[in-house]
Amino acid sequence: MLTSAAQINTMTSYSALGRRFGENEKTAAKLLLTDLASGIDRVPDNYIRSEADRPNLTEVEASDASYIPLVDLQGLSGPNRDDIIRQIGRACQQDGFFQIKNHGIPEEKVQAIMNIAREFFHLPESERLKNYSDDPTKSTRLSTSFNLKTEKVSNWRDFLRLHCYPLEEYMHEWPTNPPSFRKEVGEYCTRVRELVFKLLEAISESLGLEREYISQNLGEHGQHMAMNYYPPCPQPELTYGLPSHTDPNLITILLQDDVPGLQVLRNGKWVAVNPIPNTFIVNIGDQMQVISNDKYKSVLHRAVVNRNTERISIPTFCCPSPEGLIQPAQGLIDHEHPPVYRSFTWEEFYQKFYHRGLRTECCLDMFKIPSA
């Protein structure tokens, strides 16, 4: 019997991962962490960080309102708009992160997307693997860690990554199991996109720019999301769900379940961002830092795991079109504030970011204009 190309590719992938994990034959064949983690009582060697690069969980501070601002968007379209814009601007400048409530997305939609994600990752292994790929160019794919082809240490996470704008171009690629996946995720993506543009307008105004400056200067604005699944980890002090990094895109809207895991670097200390029901976390990405000419900061953050409980997070990433030109806004450049970055396209930036992987050093440094 002739072996198809797809079968050869699958067998090659299984073989490669088997060598990587170095476990017994049963666990070596697992393509996804979820299925590997359920059968082990210690962290495999390829997930263990060096002693200098471990989470040091006992040194993390618990967050409160003074650490991560909580902005009420209730009056964004009313007489309190100027005050809310000032709050957003202050959070972008001082923290790079803020939480939002009264954001306009119904609680039942938020709960539905979280339920769908949980159902998906609880599907049988054979069903989930229908969506598996280690090809980063695929617009819909289930994979693990961050970039299997370049990283030396793996991350304790599986993820389903979806492109979601325009919906009609990508929805047919999405999983069909659970049966309501496409419907619920499509509705959620549409709602989040509306929220993103409200925030982009507010951020634009907070910089002293025209309300539509950011939304109209970067092309069609791509949108994609990830459903991140962090299984319980037998030795959480040895590894990361995701190591410290800044987001390469423009702005991220994060939904997380009720299990803590997100941590933000603030004043040199890691702060745990404990979940607040029916809120989103907003963080400034690298492209927004460029547009603001370094007034707003893309801040390091990471995801840690725990011994007893799975965790799910669903970030939505707003980014420029591939050909979108990124550069400091002209209205923010003067004699005292020369441009910090050269002009570049989103496509150029993302290629460099992805091949570098998640590193503490910000990829933006590669695009800075040398000081005179």
Side-chain angles (χ1 to χ4, degrees):
M1 180 184 295
L2 293 176
T3 304
S4 70
Q7 289 173 314
I8 292 172
N9 288 338
T10 299
M11 289 188 293
T12 301
S13 295
Y14 270 85
S15 175
L17 264 89
R19 291 193 301 272
R20 232 176 125 204
F21 287 134
E23 300 293 315
N24 60 43
E25 289 183 7
K26 181 178 179 181
T27 58
K30 300 300 182 184
L31 283 170
L32 293 168
L33 170 66
T34 302
D35 307 302
L36 173 69
S38 63
I40 59 176
D41 57 8
R42 65 178 181 84
V43 172
D45 291 345
N46 62 300
Y47 288 89
I48 297 177
R49 298 275 164 177
S50 66
E51 288 192 21
D53 185 32
R54 291 179 185 173
N56 294 322
L57 299 174
T58 57
E59 299 179 4
V60 176
E61 298 186 5
S63 67
D64 56 32
S66 66
Y67 280 103
I68 308 296
L70 177 61
V71 178
D72 188 342
L73 299 185
Q74 182 75 54
L76 193 57
S77 300
N80 294 329
R81 181 178 178 84
D82 289 347
D83 180 56
I84 296 172
I85 286 174
R86 279 192 293 270
Q87 292 180 46
I88 290 174
R90 187 163 55 246
C92 292
Q93 188 167 7
Q94 296 178 0
D95 303 280
F97 270 76
F98 58 98
Q99 300 172 90
I100 54 174
K101 64 179 182 179
N102 292 320
H103 41 68
I105 300 181
E107 187 171 355
E108 59 268 22
K109 291 296 178 188
V110 172
Q111 193 57 54
I113 190 75
M114 189 59 71
N115 290 342
I116 282 289
R118 198 174 306 279
E119 286 182 50
F120 176 82
F121 285 106
H122 286 177
L123 289 171
E125 178 181 9
S126 59
E127 187 66 27
R128 280 179 283 115
L129 284 175
K130 293 176 181 178
N131 305 281
Y132 179 84
S133 174
D134 63 2
D135 179 0
T137 65
K138 291 195 68 172
S139 51
T140 297
R141 70 185 185 110
L142 175 68
S143 193
T144 191
S145 195
F146 178 73
N147 185 345
L148 290 172
K149 296 181 178 180
T150 63
E151 63 200 9
K152 296 179 180 179
V153 183
S154 298
N155 304 315
W156 199 264
R157 137 185 118 136
D158 288 339
F159 64 91
L160 177 66
R161 195 168 184 89
L162 309 170
H163 282 233
C164 35
Y165 183 82
L167 275 176
E168 60 271 15
E169 289 188 16
Y170 298 111
M171 189 182 288
H172 69 279
E173 301 175 352
W174 296 354
T176 55
N177 195 3
S180 61
F181 187 98
R182 292 181 179 179
K183 174 182 179 295
E184 295 292 353
V185 175
E187 290 178 2
Y188 177 81
C189 290
T190 300
R191 293 274 195 165
V192 171
R193 189 172 181 84
E194 293 170 356
L195 174 60
V196 163
F197 280 97
K198 288 180 184 177
L199 289 169
L200 291 182
E201 289 181 353
I203 292 170
S204 229
E205 286 189 62
S206 74
L207 285 166
L209 303 171
E210 294 181 2
R211 181 181 294 192
E212 293 81 16
Y213 179 87
I214 297 174
S215 60
Q216 291 185 354
N217 277 274
L218 302 176
E220 287 295 314
H221 288 275
Q223 179 183 347
H224 53 276
M225 66 185 294
M227 292 180 171
N228 295 321
Y229 183 76
Y230 305 96
C233 177
Q235 296 168 295
E237 69 279 2
L238 299 181
T239 190
Y240 287 105
L242 283 173
S244 61
H245 63 282
T246 61
D247 283 358
N249 50 292
L250 186 63
I251 189 175
T252 301
I253 311 295
L254 175 70
L255 172 65
Q256 56 178 344
D257 65 11
D258 58 358
V259 179
L262 174 66
Q263 298 179 352
V264 177
L265 190 65
R266 195 174 193 274
N267 299 324
K269 295 182 179 179
W270 287 105
V271 178
V273 184
N274 293 322
I276 300 174
N278 203 33
T279 65
F280 289 102
I281 294 168
V282 181
N283 72 278
I284 297 305
D286 293 345
Q287 308 313 304
M288 190 70 78
Q289 181 168 327
V290 172
I291 292 169
S292 74
N293 204 33
D294 266 1
K295 184 175 181 179
Y296 292 170
K297 299 297 183 183
S298 180
V299 175
L300 286 170
H301 55 286
R302 67 187 189 182
V304 298
V305 292
N306 70 84
R307 192 180 304 274
N308 300 315
T309 312
E310 66 183 9
R311 176 175 178 261
I312 291 176
S313 70
I314 305 176
T316 295
F317 306 100
C318 175
C319 53
S321 298
E323 71 284 355
L325 190 65
I326 320 298
Q327 59 189 348
Q330 288 298 314
L332 302 177
I333 296 173
D334 56 32
H335 180 70
E336 295 182 358
H337 304 92
V340 178
Y341 304 95
R342 68 172 176 85
S343 300
F344 55 88
T345 64
W346 166 241
E347 184 174 30
E348 177 189 2
F349 182 91
Y350 191 77
Q351 288 297 322
K352 293 183 185 302
F353 170 85
Y354 190 82
H355 290 293
R356 279 167 55 92
L358 297 180
R359 298 187 185 180
T360 300
E361 303 86 359
C362 183
C363 188
L364 278 179
D365 292 342
M366 302 173 69
F367 296 86
K368 283 187 172 180
I369 297 174
S371 302

